């Protein structure tokens, strides 16, 4: 089968990968624990074995794979292929592209996970057909990516899209970035759990998860409802600021928190529209992400397709 690429989405706890055809069809997929504590060399060796095994699963030869795209939760130097820091993996200064190319024997294109998710949703997800898309993922933190006319917009040092670190509340909670009151300290899953515990909420198993909080909202618990109102207020305000600056066609909101559906999106949309410029609101819509956990795989695959196409055109 001519024209397959591998898309790899690395997370703090799991690595997901797929073999992807030119039209976005995933012909094989797999996932396995990241086990970052074992170090980059060990993780890369297992990654090489697991990704090559996808070819067997798909009934193709590894030589049919023309390239690899990889999404990492990290600050990357895209020119050199070095990972400067991956906070959740506890890695610093890793020649990640060289390690991957050595294990896979294919050209590798890197990007961070927020950019990859944004590109995947723009390619065949909630942002399909839009010229400009801001994708925001609400999970443990809040990440983002910007796609402009089919290409990821990265900015200086590839730092564009870090919407989770918009400064929102000067006297707010400390953030992992070293600042205070960033958007992700107010509206991430971590923030929801923290604020719910402060209000004395307890989960079904004694611990507390985002799923527990939304279950309490469905049961009419006013404390849980107030936590959601506050979080969507801040996230709506942050999205409005981004929309006023960028004026995108679509803002795609995904991540684990977005699985709550209307309990999350209805108050979020109301908050967004109460803050955004009316003229911007006329053309910019909020949309739930469509691709779920495949967004990173497909976005990474699209990166590989773009690189492969450009290289082929340059030599023709």
């Amino acid at each position: 089968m001519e024209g397959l690429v591998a898309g790899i989405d690395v997370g703090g706890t799991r690595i997901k990968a797929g073999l992807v055809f030119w039209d976005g069809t995933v012909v094989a997929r797999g996932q396995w624990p990241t086990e970052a504590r074992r170090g980059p060399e060990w993780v890369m060796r297992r990654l090489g074995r697991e990704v090559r095994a996808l070819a067997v699963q798909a009934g193709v030869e590894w030589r049919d794979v023309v390239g690899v795209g990889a999404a990492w939760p990290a600050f990357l130097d895209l020119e050199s292929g070095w990972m400067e820091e991956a906070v959740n993996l506890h890695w610093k200064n890793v020649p990640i592209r060289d390690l991957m190319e050595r294990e896979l024997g294919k050209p590798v294109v890197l990007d961070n996970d927020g950019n990859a998710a944004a590109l995947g949703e723009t390619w065949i997800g909630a942002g399909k057909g839009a010229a400009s898309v801001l994708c925001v993922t609400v999970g443990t933190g809040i990440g983002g990516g910007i796609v402009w006319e089919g290409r990821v917009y990265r900015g200086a040092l590839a730092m564009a899209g870090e919407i989770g670190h918009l400064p929102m509340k000067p006297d707010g909670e400390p953030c992992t970035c070293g600042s205070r009151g960033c958007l992700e300290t107010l509206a991430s899953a971590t923030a929801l759990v923290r604020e719910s515990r402060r209000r004395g909420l307890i989960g079904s198993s004694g611990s507390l998860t985002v799923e527990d909080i939304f279950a309490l909202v469905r049961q009419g618990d006013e404390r849980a409802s107030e936590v959601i109102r506050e979080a969507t207020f801040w996230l709506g305000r942050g999205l409005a600021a981004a929309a006023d600056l960028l004026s995108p066609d679509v803002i795609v909101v995904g991540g684990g928190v977005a699985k709550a559906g209307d309990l999350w999106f209805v108050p979020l949309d109301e908050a967004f529209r109460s803050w955004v410029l009316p003229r911007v609101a006329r053309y910019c819509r909020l949309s739930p992400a469509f691709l779920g956990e495949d967004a990173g795989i497909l976005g990474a695959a699209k990166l590989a397709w773009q690189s492969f196409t450009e290289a082929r055109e340059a030599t023709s």
Side-chain angles (χ1 to χ4, degrees), residues 19 22 26 54 65 119 129 133 141 154 158 171 214 234 244-245 280 313:
L19 294 187
W22 64 271
V26 181
L54 295 178
V65 177
L119 190 57
V133 178
R154 297 183 176 88
D171 61 345
F214 282 108
W234 287 110
D244 287 346
L245 180 65
V280 173
E313 289 174 351

Side-chain angles (χ1 to χ4, degrees), residues 4 62 152 187 223 244 282 297:
L4 281 170
W62 182 243
V152 173
R223 294 170 299 171
D244 287 346
R282 265 183 259 158
I297 291 173

Side-chain angles (χ1 to χ4, degrees), residues 16-17 42 53 88 91 99 123 146 166 171 201 211 215 309 315:
K16 294 165 285 186
W42 189 94
N88 290 336
W91 294 357
L99 290 176
W123 183 22
I146 303 165
L166 284 179
D171 61 345
L201 297 178
E211 290 78 13
T309 302
T315 57

Side-chain angles (χ1 to χ4, degrees), residues 273-299:
R273 297 196 178 279
S274 73
W275 287 102
V276 71
L277 284 170
R279 183 171 173 82
V280 173
R282 265 183 259 158
Y283 298 98
C284 178
R285 60 184 173 86
L286 295 189
S287 174
F290 287 176
L291 300 179
E293 294 193 345
D294 276 353
I297 291 173
L298 289 164

Side-chain angles (χ1 to χ4, degrees), residues 152-190:
V152 173
Y153 175 74
R154 297 183 176 88
L157 299 178
M159 290 295 290
E162 291 288 346
I163 190 171
H165 297 291
L166 284 179
M168 303 295 292
K169 194 175 181 183
D171 61 345
E173 295 287 332
C175 183
T176 56
C177 72
S179 187
R180 300 185 73 92
C182 292
L183 182 59
E184 72 173 41
T185 71
L186 297 161
S188 64
T190 304

Side-chain angles (χ1 to χ4, degrees), residues 219-242:
Q219 294 165 21
D221 190 294
E222 183 54 33
R223 294 170 299 171
S225 297
E226 181 61 23
V227 168
I228 301 306
R229 281 195 294 270
E230 287 188 8
T232 52
F233 167 87
W234 287 110
L235 183 57
R237 190 175 183 180
L239 295 181

Side-chain angles (χ1 to χ4, degrees), residues 59-131:
V60 301
E61 298 292 331
W62 182 243
R63 64 172 176 266
D64 294 324
V65 177
V66 298
V68 176
W72 288 88
F75 298 128
L76 303 164
D77 184 324
L78 299 181
E79 186 174 342
S80 69
W82 277 69
M83 174 188 288
E84 295 183 356
E85 183 176 14
V87 175
N88 290 336
L89 303 180
H90 304 288
W91 294 357
K92 284 186 177 182
N93 299 320
V94 179
I96 202 69
R97 186 169 63 205
D98 287 349
L99 290 176
M100 294 189 75
E101 290 184 341
R102 184 181 71 193
E103 293 296 334
L104 294 167
K106 302 289 181 182
V108 174
V109 185
L110 305 174
D111 214 326
N112 73 45
D113 51 355
N115 286 344
L119 190 57
E121 289 287 350
T122 304
W123 183 22
I124 52 175
K128 184 176 180 179

